Amino acid sequence: EVNVRGERMVKDYKQLAVRYLKHNKKRTLLTILGVALSTMILFAFLNAMLSLYFTKRDELRETVKYEAIILYEDESVKERILEETFVLETEETIVELSEEEGGGRSKGLYVSFERPYLTSKYLSDLVEKYGVTYHLTELAIYYFAEDGLGVFGIIGLTVLLVAYIFAIFSVSVVRNSIQLISLEQIRDYGVLRCVGSTKKQLKSVVFWMGFLLELNGIILGSAFGFLLYLPLAIKAKLDIGFHVIVLPVILAVFMFDLYFVMQENCRFVNRLTPVAAVKGEFKIDKSKIKARKKSLVG
């Protein structure tokens, strides 16, 4: 029974979504496992990529401590740079200038910054304030490149592309499952409409089912993904770690796709009149339906 009065109504519609999922236990389990399979592979890949990135960066830090070399002529400029709060370690050096820079030598100051990922902003500020020039070190390319995205930027774009592809696999599994549940429960939706439920409230049932399936699959897949990642990290001699930043990336991409897919399922539920839904008067194009084996892959 569903209480359609007051604030308790919202809670009951959430419980109704849970009850539909429990009623279809086998399909619910297979759907969660399908999402978990996609998440497992994606999590293992992203976690391994981050471990490789941090491992190589730490190896480089053993020989290169500084993000940039600032070239200057005036000693007073050097003193003012050293007074900047975001400048940490420094070391003086002499830099051989290239032919493009006019050749010869220039005074240089190795610098590391308070927040290395803001190196680009810090250097821009120094150039604007003091008119200096600079050279980037190898370490800096892990945060940005002077005329491009840098290693971290390229990795970020790759991560988004790979995550989006796996999100399509994951969300497709949820989409099919929710469509089947909606077909089976269509008369229930019709009855709910007849007793006063709104289209928005029925949409909340569909969205909650999709969200719960996806969220449980992501949690389970992340745990399995870390177990899959461990032997890969050990074999590749990477610094082992559970990189929490991977989780919001997976969650954001998966849920973004899920939102639009659930909109499609909601249109199917809401386009029927209450009476037609109760009578089961809806048509399905059977030519587009393909039989699948009752297994995880199916």
Side-chain angles (χ1 to χ4, degrees), residues 195-206:
V195 298
S197 297
T198 64
K199 290 183 178 181
K200 184 177 180 180
Q201 289 163 348
L202 293 186
K203 283 176 66 174
S204 71
V205 175
V206 175

Side-chain angles (χ1 to χ4, degrees), residues 16-268:
L16 183 61
V18 173
R19 195 171 78 174
Y20 283 148
L21 294 178
K22 288 182 177 179
H23 181 70
N24 298 273
K25 290 181 180 178
K26 184 175 181 181
R27 184 184 299 133
T28 297
L29 179 60
L30 288 176
T31 303
I32 291 175
L33 289 177
V35 176
L37 181 62
S38 296
T39 305
M40 177 183 71
I41 299 172
L42 179 60
F43 182 91
F45 170 74
L46 296 184
N47 212 58
M49 288 285 288
L50 276 175
S51 289
L52 177 62
Y53 167 77
F54 290 128
T55 299
K56 295 299 182 183
R57 186 192 65 183
D58 291 342
E59 289 176 357
L60 184 59
R61 276 178 170 173
E62 293 180 1
T63 56
V64 182
K65 294 194 303 181
Y66 305 102
E67 281 85 34
I69 306 173
I70 297 175
L71 308 181
Y72 67 94
E73 295 295 337
D74 192 340
E75 287 292 328
S76 63
V77 170
K78 183 191 77 172
E79 296 301 325
R80 282 185 285 169
I81 290 175
L82 294 177
E83 291 175 359
E84 295 286 351
T85 56
F86 54 79
V87 174
L88 296 182
E89 294 183 74
T90 61
E91 182 179 327
E92 295 186 37
T93 185
I94 299 296
V95 180
E96 296 286 345
L97 300 178
S98 65
E99 293 182 2
E100 295 178 354
E101 295 172 312
R105 294 184 173 186
S106 173
K107 296 177 182 178
L109 186 67
Y110 279 107
V111 293
S112 62
F113 298 108
E114 181 182 16
R115 296 181 178 87
Y117 52 85
L118 294 179
T119 296
S120 180
K121 178 182 181 302
Y122 293 148
L123 289 173
S124 296
D125 290 345
L126 293 176
V127 170
E128 184 177 349
K129 289 173 68 174
Y130 306 117
V132 295
T133 58
Y134 61 86
H135 291 171
L136 297 176
T137 66
E138 295 175 76
L139 186 59
I141 68 171
Y142 278 87
Y143 303 104
F144 78 108
E146 189 170 10
D147 298 315
L149 292 171
V151 173
F152 196 78
I154 293 171
I155 290 175
L157 291 178
T158 304
V159 164
L160 289 177
L161 176 61
V162 173
Y164 182 73
I165 292 172
F166 275 88
I168 293 174
F169 296 153
S170 171
V171 171
S172 295
V173 174
V174 176
R175 170 184 176 273
N176 293 339
S177 180
I178 298 300
Q179 281 189 340
L180 288 171
I181 293 175
S182 297
L183 284 170
E184 293 169 352
Q185 309 296 342
I186 195 67
R187 287 184 173 86
D188 287 7
Y189 296 150
V191 171
L192 289 171
R193 288 293 309 281
C194 288
V195 298
S197 297
T198 64
K199 290 183 178 181
K200 184 177 180 180
Q201 289 163 348
L202 293 186
K203 283 176 66 174
S204 71
V205 175
V206 175
F207 271 98
W208 271 108
M209 285 193 291
F211 174 76
L212 291 173
L213 289 172
E214 192 83 1
L215 183 62
N216 281 280
I218 290 174
I219 294 173
L220 188 63
S222 298
F224 287 152
F226 184 70
L227 296 178
L228 177 63
Y229 151 82
L230 285 176
L232 297 175
I234 293 173
K235 186 174 182 180
K237 297 180 180 179
L238 303 177
D239 290 338
I240 296 175
F242 186 100
H243 303 297
V244 180
I245 192 174
V246 172
L247 295 179
V249 171
I250 294 176
L251 192 64
V253 177
F254 279 36
M255 292 302 174
F256 178 78
D257 277 4
L258 182 71
Y259 173 79
F260 293 101
V261 169
M262 290 301 100
Q263 290 282 16
E264 177 188 347
N265 286 340
C266 289
R267 283 195 294 271
F268 168 75

